[in-house]
Short mmCIF file of all heavy atoms in Angstrom, two decimals:
data_model
loop_
_atom_site.label_atom_id
_atom_site.label_comp_id
_atom_site.label_asym_id
_atom_site.label_seq_id
_atom_site.Cartn_x
_atom_site.Cartn_y
_atom_site.Cartn_z
N MET A 17 0.82 -1.17 0.03
CA MET A 17 0.03 -0.02 0.05
C MET A 17 0.89 1.27 0.02
O MET A 17 1.35 1.63 1.03
CB MET A 17 -0.89 0.05 1.22
CG MET A 17 -1.89 -1.07 1.27
SD MET A 17 -3.27 -0.73 0.01
CE MET A 17 -4.34 0.38 0.91
N SER A 18 1.02 1.79 -1.22
CA SER A 18 1.84 2.98 -1.23
C SER A 18 1.16 4.07 -1.96
O SER A 18 1.68 4.92 -2.65
CB SER A 18 3.21 2.74 -1.87
OG SER A 18 2.90 2.30 -3.31
N ARG A 19 -0.16 4.10 -1.74
CA ARG A 19 -0.92 5.16 -2.43
C ARG A 19 -0.62 6.58 -1.84
O ARG A 19 -0.33 6.70 -0.65
CB ARG A 19 -2.42 4.81 -2.32
CG ARG A 19 -2.97 4.92 -0.93
CD ARG A 19 -4.45 4.52 -0.85
NE ARG A 19 -5.03 4.83 0.43
CZ ARG A 19 -6.33 4.50 0.78
NH1 ARG A 19 -7.01 3.93 -0.19
NH2 ARG A 19 -6.78 4.89 1.93
N LYS A 20 -0.80 7.47 -2.75
CA LYS A 20 -0.50 8.90 -2.35
C LYS A 20 -1.57 9.78 -2.79
O LYS A 20 -2.19 9.49 -3.83
CB LYS A 20 0.86 9.31 -2.88
CG LYS A 20 2.06 8.63 -2.42
CD LYS A 20 3.27 9.47 -2.80
CE LYS A 20 4.60 8.63 -2.79
NZ LYS A 20 4.88 7.88 -4.07
N LEU A 21 -1.77 10.90 -2.09
CA LEU A 21 -2.62 11.86 -2.51
C LEU A 21 -1.85 12.73 -3.52
O LEU A 21 -0.79 13.32 -3.23
CB LEU A 21 -3.08 12.74 -1.31
CG LEU A 21 -4.18 13.74 -1.50
CD1 LEU A 21 -5.48 13.14 -1.81
CD2 LEU A 21 -4.35 14.60 -0.23
N VAL A 22 -2.39 12.80 -4.72
CA VAL A 22 -1.63 13.56 -5.72
C VAL A 22 -2.52 14.65 -6.45
O VAL A 22 -3.72 14.51 -6.38
CB VAL A 22 -1.12 12.63 -6.86
CG1 VAL A 22 -0.08 11.61 -6.26
CG2 VAL A 22 -2.25 11.78 -7.45
N TRP A 23 -1.82 15.61 -6.93
CA TRP A 23 -2.56 16.63 -7.75
C TRP A 23 -2.71 16.20 -9.13
O TRP A 23 -1.70 15.74 -9.77
CB TRP A 23 -1.72 17.99 -7.61
CG TRP A 23 -2.36 19.12 -8.43
CD1 TRP A 23 -2.03 19.49 -9.68
CD2 TRP A 23 -3.56 19.81 -8.08
NE1 TRP A 23 -2.85 20.53 -10.05
CE2 TRP A 23 -3.76 20.75 -9.09
CE3 TRP A 23 -4.35 19.82 -6.93
CZ2 TRP A 23 -4.85 21.65 -9.04
CZ3 TRP A 23 -5.49 20.75 -6.86
CH2 TRP A 23 -5.62 21.61 -7.92
N ILE A 24 -3.90 16.25 -9.63
CA ILE A 24 -4.22 15.79 -11.00
C ILE A 24 -4.61 16.91 -11.85
O ILE A 24 -5.50 17.73 -11.49
CB ILE A 24 -5.34 14.71 -10.90
CG1 ILE A 24 -4.85 13.51 -10.13
CG2 ILE A 24 -5.75 14.34 -12.32
CD1 ILE A 24 -6.02 12.67 -9.63
N GLU A 25 -3.98 17.00 -12.98
CA GLU A 25 -4.32 18.05 -14.02
C GLU A 25 -4.75 17.30 -15.26
O GLU A 25 -3.90 16.75 -15.95
CB GLU A 25 -3.29 18.95 -14.24
CG GLU A 25 -3.28 20.21 -13.27
CD GLU A 25 -2.41 21.32 -13.70
OE1 GLU A 25 -2.75 21.94 -14.66
OE2 GLU A 25 -1.44 21.55 -12.97
N GLN A 26 -6.03 17.33 -15.61
CA GLN A 26 -6.52 16.79 -16.77
C GLN A 26 -7.39 17.91 -17.38
O GLN A 26 -7.90 18.80 -16.76
CB GLN A 26 -7.32 15.54 -16.54
CG GLN A 26 -6.49 14.43 -16.04
CD GLN A 26 -7.31 13.22 -15.56
OE1 GLN A 26 -8.50 13.28 -15.55
NE2 GLN A 26 -6.62 12.21 -15.22
N PRO A 27 -7.65 17.72 -18.71
CA PRO A 27 -8.54 18.70 -19.38
C PRO A 27 -9.91 18.91 -18.73
O PRO A 27 -10.44 19.99 -18.64
CB PRO A 27 -8.68 18.13 -20.78
CG PRO A 27 -7.52 17.35 -21.00
CD PRO A 27 -7.16 16.76 -19.69
N ARG A 28 -10.43 17.80 -18.18
CA ARG A 28 -11.75 17.85 -17.53
C ARG A 28 -11.70 17.80 -16.07
O ARG A 28 -12.83 17.79 -15.41
CB ARG A 28 -12.60 16.68 -18.11
CG ARG A 28 -12.95 16.86 -19.52
CD ARG A 28 -13.41 15.49 -20.22
NE ARG A 28 -14.66 15.05 -19.62
CZ ARG A 28 -15.05 13.80 -19.75
NH1 ARG A 28 -14.39 12.92 -20.52
NH2 ARG A 28 -16.22 13.45 -19.25
N PHE A 29 -10.60 17.68 -15.44
CA PHE A 29 -10.59 17.66 -13.92
C PHE A 29 -9.25 18.18 -13.52
O PHE A 29 -8.16 17.73 -13.91
CB PHE A 29 -10.84 16.25 -13.46
CG PHE A 29 -10.73 16.17 -11.97
CD1 PHE A 29 -11.73 16.66 -11.16
CD2 PHE A 29 -9.57 15.68 -11.34
CE1 PHE A 29 -11.62 16.62 -9.77
CE2 PHE A 29 -9.43 15.67 -9.94
CZ PHE A 29 -10.41 16.10 -9.19
N GLN A 30 -9.39 19.01 -12.54
CA GLN A 30 -8.10 19.51 -11.83
C GLN A 30 -8.42 19.35 -10.29
O GLN A 30 -9.45 19.86 -9.80
CB GLN A 30 -7.75 20.92 -12.17
CG GLN A 30 -7.17 21.13 -13.59
CD GLN A 30 -6.63 22.47 -13.76
OE1 GLN A 30 -6.83 23.36 -12.88
NE2 GLN A 30 -6.03 22.62 -14.84
N GLY A 31 -7.54 18.70 -9.65
CA GLY A 31 -7.78 18.53 -8.15
C GLY A 31 -6.96 17.39 -7.62
O GLY A 31 -6.09 16.86 -8.17
N PHE A 32 -7.36 16.95 -6.43
CA PHE A 32 -6.64 15.90 -5.75
C PHE A 32 -7.32 14.58 -6.05
O PHE A 32 -8.47 14.43 -6.18
CB PHE A 32 -6.64 16.17 -4.23
CG PHE A 32 -5.84 17.27 -3.87
CD1 PHE A 32 -6.37 18.48 -3.64
CD2 PHE A 32 -4.42 17.28 -3.71
CE1 PHE A 32 -5.67 19.73 -3.26
CE2 PHE A 32 -3.61 18.30 -3.40
CZ PHE A 32 -4.24 19.55 -3.15
N GLY A 33 -6.34 13.56 -6.13
CA GLY A 33 -6.84 12.21 -6.42
C GLY A 33 -5.85 11.26 -5.86
O GLY A 33 -4.86 11.61 -5.26
N CYS A 34 -6.10 9.98 -6.13
CA CYS A 34 -5.25 8.91 -5.62
C CYS A 34 -4.30 8.46 -6.70
O CYS A 34 -4.62 8.41 -7.84
CB CYS A 34 -6.11 7.72 -5.14
SG CYS A 34 -5.22 6.29 -4.59
N SER A 35 -3.08 8.21 -6.27
CA SER A 35 -2.05 7.75 -7.28
C SER A 35 -2.24 6.31 -7.73
O SER A 35 -1.70 6.00 -8.73
CB SER A 35 -0.74 7.97 -6.57
OG SER A 35 -0.51 7.02 -5.44
N GLU A 36 -3.11 5.58 -7.00
CA GLU A 36 -3.20 4.08 -7.31
C GLU A 36 -4.50 3.67 -7.80
O GLU A 36 -4.75 2.55 -8.18
CB GLU A 36 -2.94 3.36 -6.01
CG GLU A 36 -1.51 3.51 -5.47
CD GLU A 36 -0.49 2.94 -6.49
OE1 GLU A 36 -0.63 1.86 -7.00
OE2 GLU A 36 0.52 3.73 -6.72
N CYS A 37 -5.44 4.58 -7.90
CA CYS A 37 -6.80 4.23 -8.48
C CYS A 37 -7.45 5.45 -9.06
O CYS A 37 -6.84 6.51 -9.13
CB CYS A 37 -7.62 3.47 -7.40
SG CYS A 37 -8.30 4.69 -6.16
N ALA A 38 -8.75 5.25 -9.38
CA ALA A 38 -9.43 6.40 -10.07
C ALA A 38 -10.10 7.31 -9.14
O ALA A 38 -10.83 8.25 -9.58
CB ALA A 38 -10.41 5.77 -11.04
N TRP A 39 -9.88 7.16 -7.82
CA TRP A 39 -10.57 8.11 -6.84
C TRP A 39 -10.06 9.45 -7.00
O TRP A 39 -8.88 9.78 -7.14
CB TRP A 39 -10.19 7.59 -5.48
CG TRP A 39 -10.89 8.42 -4.31
CD1 TRP A 39 -12.03 8.21 -3.76
CD2 TRP A 39 -10.26 9.49 -3.66
NE1 TRP A 39 -12.21 9.11 -2.77
CE2 TRP A 39 -11.12 9.98 -2.71
CE3 TRP A 39 -8.97 10.16 -3.78
CZ2 TRP A 39 -10.84 11.09 -1.85
CZ3 TRP A 39 -8.71 11.22 -2.97
CH2 TRP A 39 -9.68 11.67 -2.03
N ILE A 40 -11.05 10.36 -6.91
CA ILE A 40 -10.73 11.84 -6.86
C ILE A 40 -11.52 12.48 -5.74
O ILE A 40 -12.58 12.01 -5.43
CB ILE A 40 -11.03 12.47 -8.24
CG1 ILE A 40 -12.45 12.25 -8.69
CG2 ILE A 40 -9.96 12.15 -9.24
CD1 ILE A 40 -12.96 13.10 -9.88
N PHE A 41 -10.93 13.54 -5.22
CA PHE A 41 -11.72 14.28 -4.16
C PHE A 41 -12.59 15.24 -4.77
O PHE A 41 -12.22 16.25 -5.46
CB PHE A 41 -10.71 14.88 -3.26
CG PHE A 41 -11.34 15.76 -2.17
CD1 PHE A 41 -12.23 15.27 -1.26
CD2 PHE A 41 -11.15 17.14 -2.14
CE1 PHE A 41 -12.85 15.94 -0.36
CE2 PHE A 41 -11.69 17.88 -1.25
CZ PHE A 41 -12.63 17.29 -0.28
N ASN A 42 -13.83 15.04 -4.46
CA ASN A 42 -14.88 15.98 -4.96
C ASN A 42 -15.27 16.87 -3.74
O ASN A 42 -15.93 16.34 -2.76
CB ASN A 42 -16.15 15.34 -5.53
CG ASN A 42 -15.92 14.82 -6.88
OD1 ASN A 42 -15.49 15.62 -7.80
ND2 ASN A 42 -16.12 13.57 -7.12
N SER A 43 -14.81 18.12 -3.74
CA SER A 43 -15.20 18.90 -2.62
C SER A 43 -16.61 19.18 -2.54
O SER A 43 -17.34 19.57 -3.48
CB SER A 43 -14.47 20.26 -2.82
OG SER A 43 -14.71 21.12 -1.69
N PRO A 44 -17.30 18.94 -1.38
CA PRO A 44 -18.72 19.10 -1.20
C PRO A 44 -19.08 20.56 -1.05
O PRO A 44 -19.44 21.04 0.09
CB PRO A 44 -19.03 18.31 -0.07
CG PRO A 44 -17.83 18.40 0.90
CD PRO A 44 -16.67 18.49 -0.14
N GLY A 45 -18.83 21.36 -2.03
CA GLY A 45 -19.13 22.82 -2.01
C GLY A 45 -17.99 23.53 -1.29
O GLY A 45 -16.99 22.98 -1.10
N SER A 46 -18.30 24.79 -0.96
CA SER A 46 -17.27 25.63 -0.35
C SER A 46 -17.01 25.17 1.03
O SER A 46 -17.97 24.94 1.83
CB SER A 46 -17.63 27.05 -0.38
OG SER A 46 -17.90 27.46 -1.71
N PRO A 47 -15.67 25.08 1.47
CA PRO A 47 -15.45 24.72 2.85
C PRO A 47 -15.89 25.77 3.80
O PRO A 47 -15.79 26.99 3.45
CB PRO A 47 -13.98 24.62 2.92
CG PRO A 47 -13.44 25.32 1.72
CD PRO A 47 -14.51 25.30 0.63
N ALA A 48 -16.38 25.34 4.95
CA ALA A 48 -16.76 26.33 5.96
C ALA A 48 -15.62 26.96 6.64
O ALA A 48 -14.60 26.39 6.79
CB ALA A 48 -17.70 25.68 6.97
N GLY A 49 -15.83 28.14 7.19
CA GLY A 49 -14.81 28.77 7.90
C GLY A 49 -14.93 30.30 7.87
O GLY A 49 -15.52 30.85 6.95
N LYS A 50 -14.47 30.95 8.91
CA LYS A 50 -14.59 32.35 9.13
C LYS A 50 -13.56 33.08 8.36
O LYS A 50 -13.58 34.28 8.15
CB LYS A 50 -14.74 32.75 10.53
CG LYS A 50 -15.82 32.14 11.30
CD LYS A 50 -15.91 32.83 12.67
CE LYS A 50 -16.85 32.01 13.62
NZ LYS A 50 -16.33 30.80 14.10
N SER A 51 -12.39 32.38 8.14
CA SER A 51 -11.30 33.05 7.49
C SER A 51 -10.69 32.05 6.45
O SER A 51 -11.10 30.94 6.36
CB SER A 51 -10.22 33.37 8.59
OG SER A 51 -9.69 32.19 8.99
N PHE A 52 -9.85 32.63 5.64
CA PHE A 52 -9.18 31.82 4.52
C PHE A 52 -8.45 30.62 5.16
O PHE A 52 -8.56 29.45 4.80
CB PHE A 52 -8.28 32.68 3.69
CG PHE A 52 -7.69 31.80 2.57
CD1 PHE A 52 -8.39 31.50 1.42
CD2 PHE A 52 -6.40 31.44 2.68
CE1 PHE A 52 -7.75 30.78 0.42
CE2 PHE A 52 -5.77 30.78 1.64
CZ PHE A 52 -6.49 30.48 0.53
N ASP A 53 -7.74 30.87 6.24
CA ASP A 53 -6.90 29.90 6.94
C ASP A 53 -7.83 28.78 7.43
O ASP A 53 -7.55 27.61 7.37
CB ASP A 53 -6.15 30.56 8.09
CG ASP A 53 -4.85 31.22 7.58
OD1 ASP A 53 -4.50 31.07 6.35
OD2 ASP A 53 -4.20 31.90 8.36
N GLU A 54 -8.93 29.22 8.02
CA GLU A 54 -9.82 28.19 8.56
C GLU A 54 -10.47 27.37 7.50
O GLU A 54 -10.65 26.14 7.54
CB GLU A 54 -10.96 28.90 9.36
CG GLU A 54 -11.69 28.04 10.33
CD GLU A 54 -12.64 28.84 11.24
OE1 GLU A 54 -12.33 29.93 11.51
OE2 GLU A 54 -13.76 28.24 11.44
N MET A 55 -10.85 28.05 6.35
CA MET A 55 -11.35 27.30 5.24
C MET A 55 -10.36 26.32 4.68
O MET A 55 -10.72 25.13 4.33
CB MET A 55 -11.84 28.31 4.13
CG MET A 55 -13.12 28.91 4.36
SD MET A 55 -13.57 30.33 3.36
CE MET A 55 -13.00 29.89 1.83
N MET A 56 -9.11 26.70 4.63
CA MET A 56 -8.11 25.83 4.09
C MET A 56 -7.92 24.60 5.07
O MET A 56 -7.74 23.52 4.62
CB MET A 56 -6.72 26.64 3.95
CG MET A 56 -6.62 27.46 2.61
SD MET A 56 -7.06 26.57 1.14
CE MET A 56 -5.67 25.48 1.01
N ARG A 57 -7.87 24.84 6.38
CA ARG A 57 -7.80 23.84 7.26
C ARG A 57 -8.97 22.85 7.12
O ARG A 57 -8.75 21.63 7.18
CB ARG A 57 -7.73 24.35 8.72
CG ARG A 57 -6.38 24.70 9.09
CD ARG A 57 -6.18 24.74 10.64
NE ARG A 57 -7.20 25.68 11.26
CZ ARG A 57 -6.96 26.97 11.31
NH1 ARG A 57 -5.85 27.52 11.04
NH2 ARG A 57 -7.88 27.78 11.94
N ASN A 58 -10.11 23.33 6.95
CA ASN A 58 -11.34 22.49 6.86
C ASN A 58 -11.17 21.61 5.52
O ASN A 58 -11.56 20.52 5.47
CB ASN A 58 -12.59 23.33 6.93
CG ASN A 58 -12.94 23.75 8.32
OD1 ASN A 58 -12.51 23.20 9.26
ND2 ASN A 58 -13.63 24.91 8.39
N PHE A 59 -10.83 22.37 4.54
CA PHE A 59 -10.63 21.70 3.19
C PHE A 59 -9.59 20.60 3.30
O PHE A 59 -9.92 19.37 2.85
CB PHE A 59 -10.21 22.76 2.18
CG PHE A 59 -9.93 22.09 0.74
CD1 PHE A 59 -10.99 21.77 -0.11
CD2 PHE A 59 -8.60 21.84 0.48
CE1 PHE A 59 -10.61 21.16 -1.31
CE2 PHE A 59 -8.29 21.27 -0.82
CZ PHE A 59 -9.30 20.88 -1.65
N GLU A 60 -8.49 20.81 3.85
CA GLU A 60 -7.47 19.78 3.94
C GLU A 60 -7.84 18.59 4.89
O GLU A 60 -7.60 17.49 4.60
CB GLU A 60 -6.15 20.42 4.46
CG GLU A 60 -5.54 21.31 3.41
CD GLU A 60 -4.30 22.08 3.91
OE1 GLU A 60 -3.97 21.95 5.16
OE2 GLU A 60 -3.68 22.82 3.13
N PHE A 61 -8.58 18.99 5.93
CA PHE A 61 -9.00 17.99 6.81
C PHE A 61 -10.07 17.00 6.10
O PHE A 61 -9.89 15.79 6.25
CB PHE A 61 -9.80 18.68 8.05
CG PHE A 61 -10.39 17.73 9.03
CD1 PHE A 61 -9.51 17.01 9.92
CD2 PHE A 61 -11.77 17.38 9.02
CE1 PHE A 61 -10.18 16.10 10.79
CE2 PHE A 61 -12.33 16.51 9.87
CZ PHE A 61 -11.47 15.80 10.78
N GLN A 62 -10.98 17.67 5.32
CA GLN A 62 -11.96 16.88 4.61
C GLN A 62 -11.29 16.00 3.57
O GLN A 62 -11.58 14.81 3.42
CB GLN A 62 -13.02 17.80 4.01
CG GLN A 62 -14.11 17.15 3.24
CD GLN A 62 -15.18 16.58 4.28
OE1 GLN A 62 -15.30 17.07 5.38
NE2 GLN A 62 -15.94 15.61 3.95
N ARG A 63 -10.38 16.62 2.86
CA ARG A 63 -9.71 15.96 1.77
C ARG A 63 -8.89 14.65 2.33
O ARG A 63 -9.02 13.60 1.88
CB ARG A 63 -8.77 16.90 1.10
CG ARG A 63 -8.01 16.32 -0.05
CD ARG A 63 -6.80 17.21 -0.35
NE ARG A 63 -5.81 17.21 0.75
CZ ARG A 63 -4.78 18.04 0.90
NH1 ARG A 63 -4.59 18.99 0.04
NH2 ARG A 63 -4.06 17.99 1.97
N ASP A 64 -8.22 14.93 3.39
CA ASP A 64 -7.36 13.89 3.97
C ASP A 64 -8.21 12.84 4.53
O ASP A 64 -7.80 11.62 4.42
CB ASP A 64 -6.42 14.49 5.12
CG ASP A 64 -5.34 15.36 4.47
OD1 ASP A 64 -5.21 15.46 3.22
OD2 ASP A 64 -4.65 16.01 5.24
N LYS A 65 -9.35 13.13 5.12
CA LYS A 65 -10.19 12.18 5.72
C LYS A 65 -10.82 11.30 4.59
O LYS A 65 -10.84 10.02 4.76
CB LYS A 65 -11.40 12.87 6.50
CG LYS A 65 -12.18 11.96 7.34
CD LYS A 65 -13.26 12.64 8.18
CE LYS A 65 -14.44 13.09 7.18
NZ LYS A 65 -15.50 13.82 7.98
N GLU A 66 -11.34 11.95 3.57
CA GLU A 66 -11.88 11.17 2.43
C GLU A 66 -10.80 10.23 1.77
O GLU A 66 -11.11 9.15 1.42
CB GLU A 66 -12.57 12.11 1.40
CG GLU A 66 -13.63 12.99 2.12
CD GLU A 66 -14.92 13.01 1.30
OE1 GLU A 66 -14.85 12.55 0.18
OE2 GLU A 66 -15.88 13.47 1.88
N PHE A 67 -9.71 10.80 1.69
CA PHE A 67 -8.54 10.01 1.07
C PHE A 67 -8.26 8.82 1.90
O PHE A 67 -8.07 7.57 1.44
CB PHE A 67 -7.33 10.81 0.89
CG PHE A 67 -6.21 10.06 0.29
CD1 PHE A 67 -6.17 9.61 -0.95
CD2 PHE A 67 -5.09 9.82 1.09
CE1 PHE A 67 -5.06 8.87 -1.50
CE2 PHE A 67 -3.96 9.08 0.61
CZ PHE A 67 -4.04 8.67 -0.75
N ALA A 68 -8.17 8.98 3.20
CA ALA A 68 -7.86 7.96 4.13
C ALA A 68 -8.99 6.89 4.13
O ALA A 68 -8.75 5.63 4.34
CB ALA A 68 -7.67 8.42 5.54
N LEU A 69 -10.26 7.22 3.97
CA LEU A 69 -11.29 6.32 4.04
C LEU A 69 -11.59 5.61 2.71
O LEU A 69 -12.16 4.47 2.75
CB LEU A 69 -12.62 7.17 4.35
CG LEU A 69 -12.78 7.55 5.80
CD1 LEU A 69 -14.00 8.47 6.00
CD2 LEU A 69 -12.72 6.43 6.78
N HIS A 70 -11.18 6.06 1.51
CA HIS A 70 -11.54 5.38 0.33
C HIS A 70 -10.76 4.06 0.15
O HIS A 70 -9.64 3.92 0.68
CB HIS A 70 -11.33 6.38 -0.94
CG HIS A 70 -9.96 6.26 -1.53
ND1 HIS A 70 -8.86 6.94 -1.16
CD2 HIS A 70 -9.53 5.43 -2.55
CE1 HIS A 70 -7.81 6.56 -1.88
NE2 HIS A 70 -8.19 5.69 -2.74
N VAL A 71 -11.41 3.16 -0.56
CA VAL A 71 -10.74 1.80 -0.76
C VAL A 71 -10.47 1.78 -2.30
O VAL A 71 -11.29 1.92 -3.08
CB VAL A 71 -11.71 0.75 -0.43
CG1 VAL A 71 -11.08 -0.64 -0.74
CG2 VAL A 71 -12.06 0.84 1.09
N CYS A 72 -9.16 1.64 -2.49
CA CYS A 72 -8.72 1.66 -3.94
C CYS A 72 -9.47 0.57 -4.84
O CYS A 72 -9.75 0.88 -5.95
CB CYS A 72 -7.21 1.41 -4.02
SG CYS A 72 -6.21 2.87 -3.52
N ALA A 73 -9.75 -0.57 -4.19
CA ALA A 73 -10.38 -1.60 -4.93
C ALA A 73 -11.87 -1.21 -5.36
O ALA A 73 -12.38 -1.74 -6.34
CB ALA A 73 -10.49 -2.91 -4.14
N ASP A 74 -12.41 -0.23 -4.71
CA ASP A 74 -13.74 0.28 -5.08
C ASP A 74 -13.64 1.29 -6.19
O ASP A 74 -14.68 1.72 -6.64
CB ASP A 74 -14.47 0.93 -3.92
CG ASP A 74 -14.80 -0.06 -2.83
OD1 ASP A 74 -14.81 -1.35 -3.11
OD2 ASP A 74 -15.09 0.39 -1.68
N HIS A 75 -12.53 1.69 -6.61
CA HIS A 75 -12.36 2.75 -7.67
C HIS A 75 -11.42 2.26 -8.71
O HIS A 75 -10.40 2.80 -8.97
CB HIS A 75 -11.82 4.04 -7.04
CG HIS A 75 -12.69 4.59 -5.98
ND1 HIS A 75 -13.85 5.43 -6.22
CD2 HIS A 75 -12.77 4.38 -4.63
CE1 HIS A 75 -14.42 5.74 -5.06
NE2 HIS A 75 -13.77 5.13 -4.11
N PRO A 76 -11.85 1.13 -9.30
CA PRO A 76 -10.91 0.70 -10.41
C PRO A 76 -10.95 1.64 -11.59
O PRO A 76 -11.86 2.41 -11.79
CB PRO A 76 -11.54 -0.71 -10.82
CG PRO A 76 -12.98 -0.58 -10.48
CD PRO A 76 -12.99 0.34 -9.25
N GLY A 77 -9.93 1.58 -12.39
CA GLY A 77 -9.93 2.48 -13.52
C GLY A 77 -8.41 2.68 -13.96
O GLY A 77 -7.58 1.83 -13.56
N THR A 78 -8.15 3.77 -14.63
CA THR A 78 -6.90 4.05 -15.03
C THR A 78 -5.90 4.11 -13.84
O THR A 78 -6.05 4.87 -13.03
CB THR A 78 -6.85 5.29 -15.85
OG1 THR A 78 -7.86 5.31 -16.80
CG2 THR A 78 -5.55 5.52 -16.51
N LYS A 79 -4.86 3.24 -13.91
CA LYS A 79 -3.89 3.29 -12.90
C LYS A 79 -2.95 4.39 -13.36
O LYS A 79 -2.33 4.30 -14.52
CB LYS A 79 -3.13 1.99 -12.76
CG LYS A 79 -2.24 1.99 -11.66
CD LYS A 79 -1.57 0.55 -11.53
CE LYS A 79 -0.36 0.67 -10.57
NZ LYS A 79 -0.66 0.30 -9.21
N ARG A 80 -2.86 5.49 -12.62
CA ARG A 80 -1.93 6.59 -13.06
C ARG A 80 -0.46 6.22 -13.00
O ARG A 80 -0.07 5.55 -12.04
CB ARG A 80 -2.31 7.76 -12.30
CG ARG A 80 -3.71 8.23 -12.51
CD ARG A 80 -3.97 9.55 -11.90
NE ARG A 80 -5.37 9.83 -12.13
CZ ARG A 80 -6.44 9.56 -11.27
NH1 ARG A 80 -6.14 8.91 -10.15
NH2 ARG A 80 -7.61 9.85 -11.54
N VAL A 81 0.18 6.68 -13.94
CA VAL A 81 1.64 6.51 -13.95
C VAL A 81 2.30 7.65 -13.15
O VAL A 81 2.07 8.78 -13.48
CB VAL A 81 2.20 6.49 -15.37
CG1 VAL A 81 3.75 6.28 -15.30
CG2 VAL A 81 1.58 5.33 -16.19
N SER A 82 2.98 7.33 -12.13
CA SER A 82 3.50 8.37 -11.32
C SER A 82 4.70 9.01 -11.98
O SER A 82 5.44 8.33 -12.69
CB SER A 82 3.87 7.90 -9.91
OG SER A 82 4.67 6.73 -10.08
N ALA A 83 4.86 10.31 -11.92
CA ALA A 83 5.85 11.02 -12.66
C ALA A 83 7.23 10.74 -12.02
O ALA A 83 7.39 10.46 -10.80
CB ALA A 83 5.64 12.55 -12.47
ZN1 LIG B 107 -7.01 4.86 -4.28
#
């Protein structure tokens, strides 16, 4: 298990995804927070949580070639 959270840039999607499967992080709307820092913290928390929870086997698809 050496999956990593990676930044993905494709014509139709830009954002965070998994290096080992087709999972991508879909932000559920704007992150909550009273300030930019707080919003960033909430965004990163949500992103890391969802990444940690996803199961690669549930997201088969293009196995990305790591740079
Ligand atoms: Zn994965």
Side-chain angles (χ1 to χ4, degrees):
M17 291 290 276
S18 61
R19 67 186 188 178
K20 293 194 198 87
L21 189 65
V22 292
W23 178 257
I24 295 161
E25 271 194 70
Q26 291 173 353
R28 290 162 66 193
F29 175 79
Q30 288 190 349
F32 291 96
C34 177
S35 63
E36 296 299 314
C37 73
W39 179 89
I40 51 172
F41 175 62
N42 282 307
S43 179
S46 300
K50 296 189 192 76
S51 66
F52 181 75
D53 283 352
E54 198 176 324
M55 277 166 42
M56 283 307 292
R57 273 200 302 276
N58 285 335
F59 173 81
E60 289 174 357
F61 177 79
Q62 186 75 25
R63 181 197 65 193
D64 291 351
K65 190 177 77 177
E66 302 226 347
F67 177 68
L69 286 176
H70 93 272
V71 178
C72 286
D74 290 345
H75 301 271
T78 308
K79 188 177 164 96
R80 296 191 180 89
V81 179
S82 53

